[in-house]
Amino acid sequence: MSNQQEKPVILADQVQTILTDLEPLSRKVFLSLTPPSSLDNRADVDQLRQNLERVFQPVRVPLSLMAKIPSLCRSSDWKVTATLAETGRGWDLIDLESGDSTGSHYGLAVDIGTTTVVAYLINLVDGTVLGHAADYNDQISLGEDILSRIRQAMEPGGLIRLQTLVINTLNRLIKQLCASSLKSGQITAAAIGANTTMIHLLLGLDPTSICRAPYTPIVNSPGLISAGELGLEINPLAPVYCLPSIGSYLGGDVIGGILVSGMHNKSDVSLFVDIGTNGEIVMGNQEWLVACAGAAGPALEGGVTAFGMRAEPGAVDHVSIDRKSGQVTYTTIGNMPARGICGSGLVDTLAELFLNGIIDRTARFTQGREKYIVVPASETAMGENIVVTQIDVNNFMATKGAVNSAIDLLMENVGCHWQEISHFYAAGAFGQYLPIESAITIGLYPDLPRPAIVRLGNSSGEAARQVLISRTKRMEAETIAAKVTYFELNANPSFMEKFVSSKFLPHTDLDRYPSVKKRLESRV
Amino acid sequence: MSNQQEKPVILADQVQTILTDLEPLSRKVFLSLTPPSSLDNRADVDQLRQNLERVFQPVRVPLSLMAKIPSLCRSSDWKVTATLAETGRGWDLIDLESGDSTGSHYGLAVDIGTTTVVAYLINLVDGTVLGHAADYNDQISLGEDILSRIRQAMEPGGLIRLQTLVINTLNRLIKQLCASSLKSGQITAAAIGANTTMIHLLLGLDPTSICRAPYTPIVNSPGLISAGELGLEINPLAPVYCLPSIGSYLGGDVIGGILVSGMHNKSDVSLFVDIGTNGEIVMGNQEWLVACAGAAGPALEGGVTAFGMRAEPGAVDHVSIDRKSGQVTYTTIGNMPARGICGSGLVDTLAELFLNGIIDRTARFTQGREKYIVVPASETAMGENIVVTQIDVNNFMATKGAVNSAIDLLMENVGCHWQEISHFYAAGAFGQYLPIESAITIGLYPDLPRPAIVRLGNSSGEAARQVLISRTKRMEAETIAAKVTYFELNANPSFMEKFVSSKFLPHTDLDRYPSVKKRLESRV
């Protein structure tokens, strides 16, 4: 699969925090045991456990490992490496290897998106990323979006089919990651960031209640589950930790985003936004966290614009229009002949159209135009013009309006002003590939001092990495989940009001966008 | 199977301690949950766990139960009974039932003997025995004694065969116990008392090292294992606790015996003896416990005497010889025509022969006799005389000599005298069916004041019951196991010396048997 993923797979450097004092979900300990004698005739399993319990308390040795302990100890001259898994209330022995293998210690950090699944192979010795692999979620074959998946899960056998599909996807990625360099059984822990529905389908839990009042999931904090129970092809006793969710619409991916941003530890107020097909917005600081979520529309995912497409080869990803000549220049992913426009290309196009007065502040084409040719037919793969129409612009404005209204409503309700926002965290694709200046120009990002705008990349994957390698981060994630107050947008009558009035470029209140205002003025 | 078991199945009343403050391995809690609403939209699993964690901390909800929770809560109007299992470090949810079922709460206490397996159905509400079932251990088909079982386990596939056989035996007994009154899945906890080899075979662990220097088992404290892992047909998540062993020759059955006797809590010194094919002797008090073990020979199990047999119908179980007429009277089990002599019959016969001067203090027939006819041919099932020969007497003397020598050696080594022994606890068959006075007469039991002689019956089974229903008892068992010092008999050069010199009736030192001495004197 191409590196040019719509969903970013690379963990942004600025957020790939280096954690000291690693406390990964699984630990390795090298032990030099005592061969039994008439002076020390403890049973092998008991001696092993007693040695481990000098550091880890208490340790359970599962029956499935007991049988192999005596022969392994003897064949390795009583020098063995034990792998222990955290259980949240003590430790389980999950593997025993000959000699000192503490230098080879692997974990898996996973981001399960509705569309894309990304897996990172983590070196649990130092917490670094050894490699990543990404692929579409096989569940796509049964429906593109969350609602259609939930509908599929209601069909007879549907739930198991969906579970099998995502497990297959994961196992394929695990195979890729291990390739020839290690056996998948050497992966002894995994952490997963995903929305609530994806977690339910992964666990084989009926997601129906997620989309039916009162919208309560079956579980928000599944706790630790063994890989074997799920069918994940790593060490079957490996603990799998799912980032906790807060409810049907705020999943572990969002908790992960908050965790990675660090906004929950700051005294100043931050804003976290992730916009895909669904949008999630979180605001708060170390004392409080308020969140809302809702459908954002697929405008940024290439779903509805006439020539919208995913960020794949041939997608127009950057566009600029020369102020004087009106000449369009663009680039495509992979330098292939243009086939359509992806999210970043659309944001660029709209910003350029607006800055050049081709669409006005109400987002309507001026001078009687009905569309704009981004790529002429002669340069496209299909031999027809790639255009942006008024309908495309309107669709985008609906998304942007929904996001702006939600943020405004949230701020109004907590009594917070834009001046107080210290950081704006943009997560996911929304926070990775969108051109910053263009996104500000059309009001998708706020017009804050540029260093205050932080793009988190695949924060769900990065959060999975962090909770995989750090007990402190796991506890922080649980604390965040317990702390976030969910703010119900749909129940709020003023949402529609704000929604209608926010359909301006970049915003109804131009003073909130001083840099854009300046550019517009310089244009005249 | 006959009630006349060689292995006692009835827990002696005097030792079936009534425990207050039951803390069984599994617990039941009735909960009245809150239907989710917009005011309380916690996930079902989370709400259930939070409710349980008000009392039990922490609670893990296994994935296998999560799926059934939402529908069960709804169909039972949110009134449910949760069953929790102790894990030694928190609690696992292992069942959820509709409505209030706290009144129906069942556990299984098991004694796995090399020959006989006894299972008790325990009411976990009050700790009482609801029923018992006993049968031969199916492993007998692969060998009668422990050594032949170990040899079988070394054969290809032998270990699994032996494990399957004992699991089959247990499942048959479980079926019998449940009959029509309950489903076996309603049994939610089990505790097992057995020797170290039987535990290894039950767990599918290679017992080879048990009989090879330095005689270290694979495990002494297996911890809690789930019934499903073993293939026990009760609730598959039910915790199964095995009484800990101390080594290859001191198993959980002996720890159980000590536990039931209470000798580990007394300030005075007690003596605990269990003699089957193997013999175990424990001496000590609340401060120290010393134990030894060894082969005792099958004399008491009907193994070697010419007409020896198990305590089955047709076995001569009581014998007396009239002082004046020399006439023998006897009874048989089930009042059937005599087929042989079981342990209690042999002990009676030998005591009577000795008291009547037919054998002397050196255990030799007097007056040129070579055998004694216990039942004449005309009264036996086979139409031939049932006799006791000099060889039979010698075999018995070997067993008795070994027991006496071991006790003497133990006492000598801890510097303890017979006068200091406050209680003599006789366990197993050795402590259930042997006629007390006869056993004292021939020196098998010590000549203590009669109330000091306590017969424990199936103390392994009773110990299983106690640890099943009481956390305190489980902790006591672990403490006993950690406290007992194993005394190696074979390594001791003076054992043989004592063994040779102890082959007198009732003992080399007649003054240690004042009541027998008095009887012998009255005889003259």
Side-chain angles (χ1 to χ4, degrees), chain A residues 103-159:
Chain A
S104 305
H105 190 195
Y106 305 103
L108 195 71
V110 176
D111 163 44
I112 304 179
T114 310
T115 305
T116 308
V117 180
V118 192
Y120 304 87
L121 180 66
I122 307 295
N123 183 351
L124 295 182
V125 176
D126 58 12
T128 55
V129 178
L130 292 171
H132 69 266
D135 204 343
Y136 289 114
N137 187 332
D138 283 2
Q139 290 177 342
I140 290 177
S141 62
L142 295 182
E144 295 253 333
D145 57 29
I146 288 181
L147 266 178
S148 61
R149 305 271 170 90
I150 294 180
R151 228 173 287 123
Q152 278 292 328
M154 296 179 194
E155 299 289 322
L159 184 54

Coordinates of all heavy atoms in Angstrom, one line a residue, chain A residues 103-159:
Chain A
G103 N 17.0 -8.1 25.5 CA 17.2 -7.1 24.4 C 16.2 -7.2 23.3 O 16.1 -6.2 22.5
S104 N 15.4 -8.3 23.2 CA 14.4 -8.4 22.1 C 13.0 -8.4 22.8 O 12.6 -9.5 23.3 CB 14.6 -9.7 21.4 OG 15.9 -9.8 20.9
H105 N 12.4 -7.3 22.8 CA 11.1 -7.2 23.5 C 10.2 -6.3 22.7 O 10.4 -5.1 22.5 CB 11.5 -6.5 24.9 CG 10.3 -6.6 25.8 ND1 10.3 -5.8 27.0 CD2 9.1 -7.2 25.8 CE1 9.2 -6.0 27.6 NE2 8.4 -6.9 26.9
Y106 N 9.1 -6.9 22.2 CA 8.3 -6.2 21.2 C 6.8 -6.0 21.6 O 6.3 -6.9 22.2 CB 8.4 -7.0 19.8 CG 9.8 -7.2 19.4 CD1 10.4 -8.4 19.5 CD2 10.5 -6.1 18.9 CE1 11.7 -8.6 19.1 CE2 11.8 -6.3 18.5 CZ 12.5 -7.5 18.6 OH 13.7 -7.7 18.2
G107 N 6.3 -4.9 21.1 CA 4.9 -4.6 21.4 C 4.2 -4.1 20.1 O 4.9 -3.8 19.1
L108 N 2.9 -4.0 20.1 CA 2.2 -3.6 19.0 C 1.3 -2.4 19.4 O 0.5 -2.5 20.4 CB 1.3 -4.8 18.5 CG 0.7 -4.7 17.1 CD1 1.8 -4.8 16.0 CD2 -0.3 -5.8 16.9
A109 N 1.4 -1.3 18.7 CA 0.5 -0.2 18.9 C -0.4 -0.1 17.7 O 0.1 -0.1 16.5 CB 1.3 1.1 19.1
V110 N -1.7 0.0 17.9 CA -2.6 -0.1 16.7 C -3.6 1.1 16.8 O -4.1 1.4 17.8 CB -3.4 -1.4 16.8 CG1 -4.4 -1.5 15.7 CG2 -2.4 -2.6 16.7
D111 N -3.9 1.6 15.6 CA -5.0 2.6 15.4 C -5.9 1.9 14.5 O -5.6 1.7 13.3 CB -4.4 3.9 14.9 CG -5.5 4.7 14.3 OD1 -6.6 4.8 14.9 OD2 -5.3 5.3 13.2
I112 N -7.1 1.6 15.0 CA -8.1 1.0 14.1 C -9.1 2.1 13.7 O -9.9 2.5 14.5 CB -8.9 -0.2 14.8 CG1 -8.0 -1.2 15.2 CG2 -9.9 -0.8 13.8 CD1 -8.6 -2.4 16.0
G113 N -9.0 2.6 12.5 CA -9.9 3.5 11.9 C -11.0 2.8 11.2 O -10.9 1.7 10.8
T114 N -12.1 3.5 11.0 CA -13.2 2.9 10.3 C -12.8 2.6 8.9 O -13.2 1.6 8.3 CB -14.4 4.0 10.2 OG1 -14.6 4.4 11.5 CG2 -15.6 3.3 9.7
T115 N -11.9 3.4 8.3 CA -11.4 3.2 7.0 C -10.0 2.5 6.9 O -9.8 1.6 6.2 CB -11.2 4.6 6.3 OG1 -12.5 5.2 6.3 CG2 -10.8 4.4 4.8
T116 N -9.1 3.0 7.8 CA -7.7 2.5 7.7 C -7.2 2.0 9.0 O -7.6 2.5 10.1 CB -6.8 3.7 7.3 OG1 -7.3 4.3 6.1 CG2 -5.4 3.2 7.0
V117 N -6.5 0.9 9.0 CA -5.9 0.4 10.2 C -4.4 0.5 10.1 O -3.8 0.2 9.1 CB -6.3 -1.1 10.3 CG1 -5.6 -1.7 11.6 CG2 -7.8 -1.3 10.4
V118 N -3.8 1.1 11.1 CA -2.3 1.2 11.1 C -1.8 0.5 12.3 O -2.3 0.6 13.4 CB -1.9 2.7 11.2 CG1 -0.5 2.9 10.9 CG2 -2.8 3.6 10.3
A119 N -0.7 -0.3 12.1 CA -0.1 -1.0 13.2 C 1.4 -0.6 13.3 O 2.1 -0.4 12.2 CB -0.2 -2.5 13.0
Y120 N 1.9 -0.3 14.5 CA 3.3 0.0 14.7 C 3.9 -1.1 15.5 O 3.4 -1.5 16.5 CB 3.4 1.4 15.5 CG 2.6 2.5 14.8 CD1 1.3 2.7 15.1 CD2 3.3 3.4 14.0 CE1 0.6 3.7 14.5 CE2 2.6 4.4 13.3 CZ 1.2 4.6 13.6 OH 0.6 5.6 13.0
L121 N 5.1 -1.5 15.1 CA 5.9 -2.4 15.8 C 6.8 -1.6 16.8 O 7.5 -0.7 16.3 CB 6.8 -3.3 14.9 CG 7.7 -4.3 15.6 CD1 6.8 -5.4 16.3 CD2 8.6 -4.9 14.6
I122 N 6.6 -1.8 18.1 CA 7.3 -1.0 19.0 C 8.4 -1.8 19.7 O 8.2 -2.9 20.2 CB 6.3 -0.4 20.1 CG1 5.1 0.3 19.4 CG2 7.0 0.5 21.1 CD1 5.5 1.5 18.6
N123 N 9.5 -1.2 19.9 CA 10.6 -1.8 20.6 C 10.4 -1.4 22.1 O 10.5 -0.3 22.5 CB 12.0 -1.2 20.2 CG 13.1 -1.8 20.9 OD1 12.9 -2.5 21.9 ND2 14.3 -1.5 20.5
L124 N 10.0 -2.4 22.9 CA 9.6 -2.2 24.3 C 10.8 -1.9 25.2 O 10.7 -1.6 26.3 CB 8.7 -3.3 24.8 CG 7.4 -3.5 24.1 CD1 6.6 -4.6 24.8 CD2 6.6 -2.2 24.2
V125 N 12.0 -2.1 24.6 CA 13.2 -1.8 25.4 C 13.4 -0.3 25.5 O 13.7 0.2 26.6 CB 14.5 -2.4 24.7 CG1 15.7 -2.0 25.5 CG2 14.3 -3.9 24.7
D126 N 13.1 0.5 24.4 CA 13.3 1.9 24.5 C 12.1 2.7 24.1 O 12.1 3.9 24.1 CB 14.5 2.3 23.7 CG 14.4 1.9 22.2 OD1 13.3 1.5 21.8 OD2 15.4 2.0 21.5
G127 N 11.0 2.0 23.7 CA 9.8 2.7 23.3 C 9.7 3.2 21.9 O 8.7 3.8 21.5
T128 N 10.8 3.0 21.1 CA 10.8 3.5 19.8 C 10.0 2.7 18.8 O 9.7 1.5 19.0 CB 12.2 3.6 19.2 OG1 12.8 2.3 19.3 CG2 13.0 4.6 20.1
V129 N 9.6 3.4 17.6 CA 8.9 2.7 16.6 C 9.9 2.0 15.7 O 10.7 2.6 15.1 CB 8.0 3.7 15.8 CG1 7.3 3.0 14.6 CG2 7.1 4.4 16.7
L130 N 9.7 0.7 15.5 CA 10.6 -0.1 14.7 C 10.1 -0.2 13.2 O 10.9 -0.4 12.3 CB 10.8 -1.5 15.2 CG 11.6 -1.6 16.5 CD1 11.5 -3.0 17.1 CD2 13.0 -1.2 16.4
G131 N 8.8 0.0 13.1 CA 8.3 -0.1 11.8 C 6.8 0.1 11.8 O 6.2 0.1 12.9
H132 N 6.2 0.4 10.7 CA 4.7 0.5 10.7 C 4.2 -0.1 9.4 O 4.9 -0.2 8.4 CB 4.3 2.0 10.8 CG 4.6 2.8 9.6 ND1 5.7 3.5 9.5 CD2 3.9 2.9 8.4 CE1 5.7 4.1 8.3 NE2 4.6 3.8 7.6
A133 N 2.9 -0.5 9.5 CA 2.2 -1.0 8.3 C 0.8 -0.5 8.4 O 0.2 -0.4 9.4 CB 2.3 -2.6 8.3
A134 N 0.2 -0.2 7.2 CA -1.1 0.3 7.2 C -1.9 -0.4 6.0 O -1.3 -0.8 5.0 CB -1.1 1.8 7.0
D135 N -3.2 -0.5 6.2 CA -4.0 -1.1 5.2 C -5.5 -0.6 5.4 O -5.8 -0.2 6.5 CB -3.9 -2.6 5.2 CG -4.2 -3.2 3.8 OD1 -4.9 -2.4 3.0 OD2 -3.9 -4.3 3.6
Y136 N -6.3 -0.7 4.4 CA -7.7 -0.5 4.6 C -8.2 -1.5 5.6 O -7.8 -2.7 5.6 CB -8.4 -0.5 3.3 CG -8.1 0.7 2.4 CD1 -7.5 0.5 1.2 CD2 -8.5 1.9 2.9 CE1 -7.2 1.6 0.4 CE2 -8.2 3.1 2.1 CZ -7.5 2.9 0.9 OH -7.2 4.0 0.1
N137 N -9.2 -1.1 6.4 CA -9.9 -2.0 7.3 C -10.8 -2.9 6.4 O -11.6 -2.4 5.6 CB -10.8 -1.1 8.2 CG -11.5 -2.0 9.2 OD1 -11.8 -3.1 9.0 ND2 -11.8 -1.3 10.4
D138 N -10.6 -4.2 6.5 CA -11.3 -5.2 5.6 C -12.8 -5.0 5.8 O -13.6 -5.5 4.9 CB -10.9 -6.6 5.9 CG -9.5 -7.0 5.3 OD1 -8.9 -6.1 4.7 OD2 -9.1 -8.1 5.5
Q139 N -13.2 -4.4 6.9 CA -14.7 -4.3 7.1 C -15.3 -3.4 6.0 O -16.5 -3.4 5.9 CB -14.9 -3.7 8.5 CG -14.6 -4.6 9.7 CD -14.8 -3.9 11.0 OE1 -14.9 -2.7 11.1 NE2 -14.9 -4.7 12.1
I140 N -14.5 -2.6 5.3 CA -15.0 -1.7 4.3 C -15.9 -2.5 3.3 O -16.9 -2.0 2.8 CB -13.9 -1.0 3.6 CG1 -13.2 0.0 4.5 CG2 -14.4 -0.3 2.3 CD1 -12.0 0.7 3.8
S141 N -15.5 -3.8 3.1 CA -16.3 -4.6 2.2 C -17.8 -4.7 2.6 O -18.7 -5.0 1.8 CB -15.7 -6.0 2.0 OG -15.7 -6.6 3.3
L142 N -18.0 -4.5 3.9 CA -19.4 -4.6 4.4 C -20.0 -3.2 4.7 O -21.1 -3.2 5.3 CB -19.5 -5.5 5.7 CG -19.1 -6.9 5.5 CD1 -19.2 -7.7 6.8 CD2 -19.9 -7.6 4.4
G143 N -19.4 -2.2 4.3 CA -19.9 -0.8 4.5 C -18.9 0.2 4.8 O -17.9 -0.1 5.5
E144 N -19.0 1.4 4.2 CA -18.0 2.4 4.3 C -17.9 3.1 5.7 O -16.9 3.3 6.2 CB -18.1 3.4 3.2 CG -18.0 2.9 1.8 CD -16.6 3.3 1.2 OE1 -16.1 4.4 1.5 OE2 -16.1 2.5 0.3
D145 N -19.1 3.4 6.2 CA -19.1 4.2 7.4 C -19.6 3.4 8.6 O -20.0 2.2 8.5 CB -19.9 5.5 7.2 CG -21.3 5.1 6.8 OD1 -21.8 4.0 7.2 OD2 -22.0 5.9 6.1
I146 N -19.5 4.0 9.8 CA -19.9 3.4 11.0 C -21.3 2.9 11.0 O -21.6 1.7 11.5 CB -19.6 4.3 12.2 CG1 -18.1 4.5 12.4 CG2 -20.3 3.8 13.5 CD1 -17.7 5.4 13.5
L147 N -22.2 3.7 10.6 CA -23.6 3.3 10.6 C -23.9 2.1 9.8 O -24.6 1.2 10.2 CB -24.5 4.4 10.2 CG -25.1 5.3 11.3 CD1 -25.9 6.4 10.8 CD2 -25.9 4.4 12.3
S148 N -23.3 2.0 8.6 CA -23.5 0.8 7.8 C -22.9 -0.4 8.4 O -23.4 -1.5 8.3 CB -23.1 1.0 6.4 OG -21.7 1.3 6.4
R149 N -21.8 -0.3 9.2 CA -21.2 -1.4 9.9 C -22.1 -1.9 11.0 O -22.3 -3.1 11.2 CB -19.9 -1.0 10.5 CG -18.8 -0.4 9.6 CD -17.9 -1.4 8.9 NE -17.2 -0.7 7.9 CZ -16.0 -0.2 8.1 NH1 -15.4 -0.3 9.3 NH2 -15.4 0.5 7.1
I150 N -22.7 -0.9 11.7 CA -23.6 -1.3 12.8 C -24.8 -2.0 12.2 O -25.3 -3.1 12.8 CB -24.1 -0.1 13.6 CG1 -22.8 0.6 14.3 CG2 -25.2 -0.4 14.6 CD1 -23.1 1.8 15.2
R151 N -25.3 -1.6 11.1 CA -26.4 -2.2 10.4 C -26.0 -3.7 10.0 O -26.8 -4.6 10.2 CB -26.9 -1.4 9.2 CG -28.4 -1.2 9.2 CD -28.8 -0.3 8.1 NE -28.5 1.1 8.4 CZ -27.7 1.9 7.6 NH1 -27.3 1.4 6.4 NH2 -27.5 3.2 7.9
Q152 N -24.8 -3.8 9.5 CA -24.3 -5.2 9.2 C -24.2 -6.1 10.4 O -24.5 -7.3 10.3 CB -22.9 -5.0 8.5 CG -23.0 -4.7 7.0 CD -23.5 -5.8 6.2 OE1 -23.4 -7.0 6.5 NE2 -24.2 -5.4 5.1
A153 N -23.8 -5.5 11.5 CA -23.7 -6.3 12.7 C -25.0 -6.8 13.2 O -25.0 -7.8 13.9 CB -23.0 -5.4 13.8
M154 N -26.1 -6.2 12.8 CA -27.4 -6.7 13.2 C -27.9 -7.9 12.4 O -28.8 -8.6 12.8 CB -28.5 -5.5 13.1 CG -28.2 -4.4 14.0 SD -29.5 -3.1 13.7 CE -28.7 -1.7 14.5
E155 N -27.3 -8.1 11.2 CA -27.6 -9.2 10.4 C -27.2 -10.5 11.0 O -26.2 -10.5 11.8 CB -26.9 -9.1 9.0 CG -27.3 -7.8 8.2 CD -28.7 -7.9 7.7 OE1 -29.1 -9.0 7.3 OE2 -29.4 -6.8 7.7
P156 N -27.9 -11.6 10.7 CA -27.4 -12.9 11.3 C -26.0 -13.2 10.9 O -25.6 -13.1 9.7 CB -28.4 -13.9 10.7 CG -29.5 -13.1 10.2 CD -29.0 -11.8 9.9
G157 N -25.1 -13.4 11.9 CA -23.7 -13.8 11.6 C -22.9 -12.5 11.3 O -21.7 -12.7 11.1
G158 N -23.5 -11.4 11.3 CA -22.8 -10.2 10.8 C -21.7 -9.8 11.8 O -20.6 -9.4 11.4
L159 N -22.0 -9.9 13.1 CA -21.1 -9.4 14.1 C -19.8 -10.2 14.0 O -18.7 -9.7 14.0 CB -21.7 -9.6 15.5 CG -20.9 -9.1 16.7 CD1 -20.5 -7.7 16.5 CD2 -21.7 -9.3 17.9

